[in-house]
Amino acid sequence: MATRNILKIGDETLRKISKPVTKFDKGLWELLDDMRETMYKNDGAGLAGPQVGVLKRIIVMDVNNMYFELINPEIVESSGEDISKEGCLSVGGIQEYVKRPRRVTVKGQDRYGYDITITGEKFLARCICHEVDHLNGILFVDKIEKEYKEG
Ligand code: NI
């Protein structure tokens, strides 16, 4: 296992569309292990392939001390609305309000290629949406609620 460099906003790779994973092999498992280590080392709640320079549809997350990894994630259901602050390891130093669904269901595969479905609310839902956006070249700064004030 090794930690990898996290690309920062301004790097073109972060704006590209990631490709689906088709091989669930040792190379994928090493990448996932590295992404997990990199996320924890940087105190993040999630990390997506493009952030470590790999344009593959892979995300890892840690929400409420639960670790998730998801390959080829696809949001199949979303409902409600939640505006909270979020940040990103590729966008240092700022946290801004972003509107996300309150609840989402995402389908994908685990590291062995088996289908999995995760339903999350609030922060987990936010995290899933944020990481899936990365796979489509979207950063949270594209979605800031500029007019929103707390209370
Ligand atoms: Ni991010």
Side-chain angles (χ1 to χ4, degrees):
M1 268 201 293
T3 57
R4 303 203 182 192
N5 284 333
I6 297 178
L7 302 181
K8 300 292 181 198
I9 188 168
D11 192 305
E12 268 182 31
T13 303
L14 291 173
R15 294 306 192 171
K16 294 188 173 151
I17 310 284
S18 292
K19 293 197 166 65
V21 171
T22 52
K23 275 197 234 164
F24 295 80
D25 58 5
K26 199 165 167 261
L28 174 70
W29 304 338
E30 274 173 18
L31 172 62
L32 283 163
D33 291 343
D34 286 359
M35 285 174 64
R36 177 185 178 144
E37 194 176 323
T38 305
M39 174 179 72
Y40 285 133
K41 188 193 162 201
N42 290 280
D43 225 2
L47 196 66
Q51 291 182 278
V52 292
V54 180
L55 288 169
K56 290 182 179 171
R57 304 191 78 82
I58 296 170
I59 65 177
V60 298
M61 300 178 290
D62 185 286
V63 175
N64 301 326
N65 296 315
M66 284 248 286
Y67 175 68
F68 300 90
E69 48 189 39
L70 204 50
I71 321 299
N72 302 324
E74 214 174 306
I75 293 171
V76 292
E77 234 180 276
S78 66
S79 60
E81 201 176 283
D82 178 61
I83 300 181
S84 292
K85 280 196 167 179
E86 65 183 72
C88 177
L89 292 177
S90 292
V91 185
I94 65 160
Q95 290 209 325
E96 298 286 349
Y97 288 103
V98 178
K99 189 193 290 176
R100 299 288 189 186
R102 189 184 170 82
R103 181 187 166 96
V104 303
T105 297
V106 63
K107 286 188 174 180
Q109 284 98 50
D110 69 9
R111 61 166 59 202
Y112 307 105
Y114 291 107
D115 290 339
I116 47 175
T117 302
I118 298 169
T119 296
E121 293 195 344
K122 291 186 177 174
F123 188 64
L124 179 55
R126 174 169 300 278
C127 220
I128 290 166
C129 294
H130 177 116
E131 300 312 330
V132 170
D133 271 356
H134 272 300
L135 306 180
N136 296 317
I138 299 165
L139 299 175
F140 85 97
V141 292
D142 305 341
K143 297 186 164 179
I144 293 172
E145 294 284 321
K146 291 190 182 71
E147 303 301 316
Y148 185 76
K149 298 264 192 309
E150 226 167 339

PDB file of all heavy atoms in Angstrom, residues 46-48 51 86-91 130-131 134 138-140, ligand 1:
ATOM      1  N   GLY A  46     -14.035  11.171   1.553  1.00  0.00           N
ATOM      2  CA  GLY A  46     -14.227  10.454   0.298  1.00  0.00           C
ATOM      3  C   GLY A  46     -13.135  10.799  -0.686  1.00  0.00           C
ATOM      4  O   GLY A  46     -12.447  11.813  -0.540  1.00  0.00           O
ATOM      5  N   LEU A  47     -12.969   9.914  -1.650  1.00  0.00           N
ATOM      6  CA  LEU A  47     -11.959  10.134  -2.678  1.00  0.00           C
ATOM      7  C   LEU A  47     -12.407   9.389  -3.937  1.00  0.00           C
ATOM      8  O   LEU A  47     -12.922   8.274  -3.853  1.00  0.00           O
ATOM      9  CB  LEU A  47     -10.608   9.594  -2.186  1.00  0.00           C
ATOM     10  CG  LEU A  47      -9.348  10.044  -2.927  1.00  0.00           C
ATOM     11  CD1 LEU A  47      -9.106  11.548  -2.760  1.00  0.00           C
ATOM     12  CD2 LEU A  47      -8.121   9.275  -2.413  1.00  0.00           C
ATOM     13  N   ALA A  48     -12.195  10.019  -5.086  1.00  0.00           N
ATOM     14  CA  ALA A  48     -12.594   9.413  -6.358  1.00  0.00           C
ATOM     15  C   ALA A  48     -11.359   9.234  -7.247  1.00  0.00           C
ATOM     16  O   ALA A  48     -10.381   9.974  -7.112  1.00  0.00           O
ATOM     17  CB  ALA A  48     -13.615  10.307  -7.060  1.00  0.00           C
ATOM     18  N   GLN A  51      -9.109  11.987  -8.701  1.00  0.00           N
ATOM     19  CA  GLN A  51      -8.338  12.785  -7.739  1.00  0.00           C
ATOM     20  C   GLN A  51      -6.929  12.254  -7.525  1.00  0.00           C
ATOM     21  O   GLN A  51      -6.049  12.985  -7.081  1.00  0.00           O
ATOM     22  CB  GLN A  51      -9.063  12.841  -6.387  1.00  0.00           C
ATOM     23  CG  GLN A  51     -10.343  13.661  -6.436  1.00  0.00           C
ATOM     24  CD  GLN A  51     -10.984  13.719  -5.067  1.00  0.00           C
ATOM     25  OE1 GLN A  51     -11.678  12.794  -4.674  1.00  0.00           O
ATOM     26  NE2 GLN A  51     -10.748  14.795  -4.349  1.00  0.00           N
ATOM     27  N   GLU A  86     -19.832  21.684   2.306  1.00  0.00           N
ATOM     28  CA  GLU A  86     -18.939  20.587   1.968  1.00  0.00           C
ATOM     29  C   GLU A  86     -17.625  21.115   1.438  1.00  0.00           C
ATOM     30  O   GLU A  86     -17.512  22.271   1.048  1.00  0.00           O
ATOM     31  CB  GLU A  86     -19.600  19.597   0.993  1.00  0.00           C
ATOM     32  CG  GLU A  86     -19.937  20.125  -0.372  1.00  0.00           C
ATOM     33  CD  GLU A  86     -20.659  19.065  -1.223  1.00  0.00           C
ATOM     34  OE1 GLU A  86     -21.831  18.766  -0.952  1.00  0.00           O
ATOM     35  OE2 GLU A  86     -20.054  18.549  -2.168  1.00  0.00           O
ATOM     36  N   GLY A  87     -16.638  20.231   1.477  1.00  0.00           N
ATOM     37  CA  GLY A  87     -15.317  20.578   0.980  1.00  0.00           C
ATOM     38  C   GLY A  87     -14.789  19.415   0.162  1.00  0.00           C
ATOM     39  O   GLY A  87     -15.509  18.446  -0.086  1.00  0.00           O
ATOM     40  N   CYS A  88     -13.534  19.516  -0.240  1.00  0.00           N
ATOM     41  CA  CYS A  88     -12.977  18.510  -1.139  1.00  0.00           C
ATOM     42  C   CYS A  88     -11.456  18.508  -0.998  1.00  0.00           C
ATOM     43  O   CYS A  88     -10.850  19.571  -0.895  1.00  0.00           O
ATOM     44  CB  CYS A  88     -13.357  18.871  -2.570  1.00  0.00           C
ATOM     45  SG  CYS A  88     -12.681  17.763  -3.811  1.00  0.00           S
ATOM     46  N   LEU A  89     -10.867  17.317  -0.992  1.00  0.00           N
ATOM     47  CA  LEU A  89      -9.413  17.225  -0.860  1.00  0.00           C
ATOM     48  C   LEU A  89      -8.687  17.852  -2.059  1.00  0.00           C
ATOM     49  O   LEU A  89      -7.517  18.197  -1.965  1.00  0.00           O
ATOM     50  CB  LEU A  89      -8.976  15.765  -0.691  1.00  0.00           C
ATOM     51  CG  LEU A  89      -9.400  15.094   0.628  1.00  0.00           C
ATOM     52  CD1 LEU A  89      -8.981  13.631   0.631  1.00  0.00           C
ATOM     53  CD2 LEU A  89      -8.817  15.821   1.837  1.00  0.00           C
ATOM     54  N   SER A  90      -9.396  18.010  -3.165  1.00  0.00           N
ATOM     55  CA  SER A  90      -8.788  18.645  -4.338  1.00  0.00           C
ATOM     56  C   SER A  90      -8.984  20.155  -4.349  1.00  0.00           C
ATOM     57  O   SER A  90      -8.478  20.845  -5.236  1.00  0.00           O
ATOM     58  CB  SER A  90      -9.376  18.058  -5.634  1.00  0.00           C
ATOM     59  OG  SER A  90      -8.975  16.712  -5.779  1.00  0.00           O
ATOM     60  N   VAL A  91      -9.758  20.646  -3.375  1.00  0.00           N
ATOM     61  CA  VAL A  91     -10.012  22.086  -3.287  1.00  0.00           C
ATOM     62  C   VAL A  91      -9.697  22.498  -1.856  1.00  0.00           C
ATOM     63  O   VAL A  91     -10.556  22.487  -0.983  1.00  0.00           O
ATOM     64  CB  VAL A  91     -11.488  22.426  -3.610  1.00  0.00           C
ATOM     65  CG1 VAL A  91     -11.705  23.930  -3.633  1.00  0.00           C
ATOM     66  CG2 VAL A  91     -11.911  21.819  -4.942  1.00  0.00           C
ATOM     67  N   HIS A 130     -21.200  13.823  -4.223  1.00  0.00           N
ATOM     68  CA  HIS A 130     -19.941  14.545  -4.435  1.00  0.00           C
ATOM     69  C   HIS A 130     -18.935  13.663  -5.184  1.00  0.00           C
ATOM     70  O   HIS A 130     -18.296  14.106  -6.147  1.00  0.00           O
ATOM     71  CB  HIS A 130     -19.390  14.977  -3.072  1.00  0.00           C
ATOM     72  CG  HIS A 130     -18.069  15.678  -3.112  1.00  0.00           C
ATOM     73  ND1 HIS A 130     -17.910  16.993  -2.716  1.00  0.00           N
ATOM     74  CD2 HIS A 130     -16.833  15.257  -3.483  1.00  0.00           C
ATOM     75  CE1 HIS A 130     -16.638  17.342  -2.873  1.00  0.00           C
ATOM     76  NE2 HIS A 130     -15.958  16.304  -3.323  1.00  0.00           N
ATOM     77  N   GLU A 131     -18.801  12.416  -4.727  1.00  0.00           N
ATOM     78  CA  GLU A 131     -17.802  11.526  -5.347  1.00  0.00           C
ATOM     79  C   GLU A 131     -18.223  11.106  -6.757  1.00  0.00           C
ATOM     80  O   GLU A 131     -17.385  11.027  -7.658  1.00  0.00           O
ATOM     81  CB  GLU A 131     -17.552  10.294  -4.467  1.00  0.00           C
ATOM     82  CG  GLU A 131     -17.039  10.589  -3.057  1.00  0.00           C
ATOM     83  CD  GLU A 131     -15.875  11.563  -2.996  1.00  0.00           C
ATOM     84  OE1 GLU A 131     -15.068  11.630  -3.942  1.00  0.00           O
ATOM     85  OE2 GLU A 131     -15.778  12.295  -1.989  1.00  0.00           O
ATOM     86  N   HIS A 134     -17.322  13.699  -9.185  1.00  0.00           N
ATOM     87  CA  HIS A 134     -15.909  13.661  -9.600  1.00  0.00           C
ATOM     88  C   HIS A 134     -15.710  12.787 -10.835  1.00  0.00           C
ATOM     89  O   HIS A 134     -14.864  13.086 -11.685  1.00  0.00           O
ATOM     90  CB  HIS A 134     -15.039  13.077  -8.471  1.00  0.00           C
ATOM     91  CG  HIS A 134     -14.550  14.085  -7.480  1.00  0.00           C
ATOM     92  ND1 HIS A 134     -13.762  15.164  -7.834  1.00  0.00           N
ATOM     93  CD2 HIS A 134     -14.715  14.185  -6.137  1.00  0.00           C
ATOM     94  CE1 HIS A 134     -13.480  15.874  -6.747  1.00  0.00           C
ATOM     95  NE2 HIS A 134     -14.050  15.306  -5.705  1.00  0.00           N
ATOM     96  N   ILE A 138     -17.029  16.927 -12.435  1.00  0.00           N
ATOM     97  CA  ILE A 138     -17.703  18.032 -11.745  1.00  0.00           C
ATOM     98  C   ILE A 138     -17.117  18.198 -10.341  1.00  0.00           C
ATOM     99  O   ILE A 138     -16.915  17.216  -9.623  1.00  0.00           O
ATOM    100  CB  ILE A 138     -19.218  17.740 -11.642  1.00  0.00           C
ATOM    101  CG1 ILE A 138     -19.817  17.619 -13.052  1.00  0.00           C
ATOM    102  CG2 ILE A 138     -19.934  18.827 -10.846  1.00  0.00           C
ATOM    103  CD1 ILE A 138     -21.198  16.982 -13.077  1.00  0.00           C
ATOM    104  N   LEU A 139     -16.851  19.437  -9.956  1.00  0.00           N
ATOM    105  CA  LEU A 139     -16.353  19.733  -8.608  1.00  0.00           C
ATOM    106  C   LEU A 139     -17.426  20.511  -7.836  1.00  0.00           C
ATOM    107  O   LEU A 139     -18.252  21.198  -8.436  1.00  0.00           O
ATOM    108  CB  LEU A 139     -15.071  20.573  -8.685  1.00  0.00           C
ATOM    109  CG  LEU A 139     -13.885  19.917  -9.402  1.00  0.00           C
ATOM    110  CD1 LEU A 139     -12.721  20.902  -9.510  1.00  0.00           C
ATOM    111  CD2 LEU A 139     -13.439  18.655  -8.690  1.00  0.00           C
ATOM    112  N   PHE A 140     -17.383  20.414  -6.515  1.00  0.00           N
ATOM    113  CA  PHE A 140     -18.443  21.054  -5.720  1.00  0.00           C
ATOM    114  C   PHE A 140     -18.462  22.569  -5.895  1.00  0.00           C
ATOM    115  O   PHE A 140     -19.500  23.199  -5.744  1.00  0.00           O
ATOM    116  CB  PHE A 140     -18.336  20.660  -4.230  1.00  0.00           C
ATOM    117  CG  PHE A 140     -17.387  21.500  -3.419  1.00  0.00           C
ATOM    118  CD1 PHE A 140     -17.868  22.555  -2.655  1.00  0.00           C
ATOM    119  CD2 PHE A 140     -16.038  21.258  -3.429  1.00  0.00           C
ATOM    120  CE1 PHE A 140     -17.012  23.349  -1.906  1.00  0.00           C
ATOM    121  CE2 PHE A 140     -15.161  22.041  -2.676  1.00  0.00           C
ATOM    122  CZ  PHE A 140     -15.651  23.084  -1.922  1.00  0.00           C
TER     123      PHE A 140
HETATM  124 NI    NI B   1     -13.988  15.919  -3.708  1.00  0.00          NI
END
